[in-house]
Amino acid sequence: MIRRLSMLVAAVGLMAAGPAEVTGQARVVDGDTFSVGAERVRLWGVDAPEGRQVCQDAQRQTYACGDVARDQLVRLIGGRAVRCEIRDRDAYGRAVARCQAGSTDLGEALVRAGWAVDFRQFSRGAYARVEAEAREARRGLWAGRFETPSSWRADARRAQPAPVGPPNSGCVIKGNINAKGRRIFHVPGQQDYAATRIDTARGERWFCSAAEAVAAGWTAAAR
């Protein structure tokens, strides 16, 4: 009886942890990410250029390498169903998985073609040999010059302007103008307060009190 109960508890635990594998048709998002149904999958062990990233080709002409990497992944999948072994979850909730389309290891094939690099921080060099071959043959990205995707992301984060804060510590009510042009104010503790960003260039502003916001023509947020 105790043994059967232990087996049942273990089975429930596995179910709660979610599937270890996801299979189905893929909708490609970028060079190393796609969706299978409601599941967003990030290829394990590789890093491809970001969607907005540009690189230089052999003639030092710039091109949208992120778009080329995405198209390469589309070609590798070729409309076939993918089968992914989930290994982890990243900070965005995506399944980090080693995936195949037919007998093709998608991560390995991207690195071999030169449209992704071995993500050593996580792969522990699983694709290092394949990357070295692509670099030696000057395939894909290696034909020209490029910044590694992880470095490009770090540079992009540093280039983002710092969020504009309230003019003084007492004026923390956010006067936001929504997509329909409605003027709505959010007070600390409301559901959308943290996600609301104030752009003073658009006429948005900070208020020191709800009464001040109402007097200026703003309406209290519903949540």
Side-chain angles (χ1 to χ4, degrees):
M1 177 66 180
I2 293 176
R3 183 180 179 185
R4 286 199 299 270
L5 181 60
S6 298
M7 292 174 64
L8 177 61
V9 169
V12 170
L14 286 172
M15 291 173 63
E21 186 175 284
V22 60
T23 305
Q25 294 296 317
R27 182 177 64 82
V28 174
V29 177
D30 60 29
D32 53 30
T33 309
F34 51 82
S35 295
V36 178
E39 185 77 87
R40 183 64 65 93
V41 179
R42 170 66 157 86
L43 287 175
W44 173 86
V46 304
D47 204 11
E50 297 296 324
R52 295 182 291 113
Q53 188 171 348
V54 295
C55 305
Q56 290 185 346
D57 63 18
Q59 287 72 46
R60 298 200 173 185
Q61 299 295 311
T62 58
Y63 69 101
C65 51
D67 291 345
V68 177
R70 178 200 61 211
D71 294 344
Q72 177 70 13
L73 181 56
V74 170
R75 285 193 292 271
L76 286 171
I77 294 172
R80 297 174 291 180
V82 298
R83 186 176 73 258
C84 300
E85 174 198 340
I86 299 176
R87 297 193 167 192
D88 200 358
R89 293 273 171 184
D90 67 12
Y92 304 101
R94 297 177 298 187
V96 179
R98 193 161 189 170
C99 301
Q100 291 182 289
S103 60
T104 302
D105 181 316
L106 295 174
E108 180 178 347
L110 279 169
V111 176
R112 188 183 301 281
W115 293 113
V117 297
D118 178 34
F119 208 173
R120 291 173 177 78
Q121 179 182 353
F122 302 102
S123 73
R124 297 184 180 179
Y127 298 119
R129 179 184 57 80
V130 178
E131 181 188 286
E133 291 175 2
R135 183 170 61 250
E136 179 68 22
R138 301 187 66 79
R139 300 186 196 120
L141 298 167
W142 301 105
R145 301 175 66 180
F146 69 98
E147 187 176 17
T148 61
S150 58
S151 295
W152 187 91
R153 289 191 297 270
D155 289 344
R157 284 193 296 269
R158 284 192 291 268
Q160 289 178 346
V164 177
N168 65 62
S169 59
C171 301
V172 295
I173 294 175
K174 297 178 177 181
N176 170 245
I177 302 174
N178 70 12
K180 296 181 179 179
R182 290 186 60 211
R183 298 175 177 236
I184 300 171
F185 68 87
H186 303 261
V187 301
Q190 287 189 301
Q191 180 176 331
D192 295 330
Y193 181 86
T196 300
R197 298 289 181 266
I198 298 304
D199 182 357
T200 55
R202 295 182 60 240
E204 297 176 333
R205 54 179 290 193
W206 298 86
F207 294 101
C208 301
S209 70
E212 180 188 1
V214 171
W218 262 257
T219 302
R223 58 182 185 177

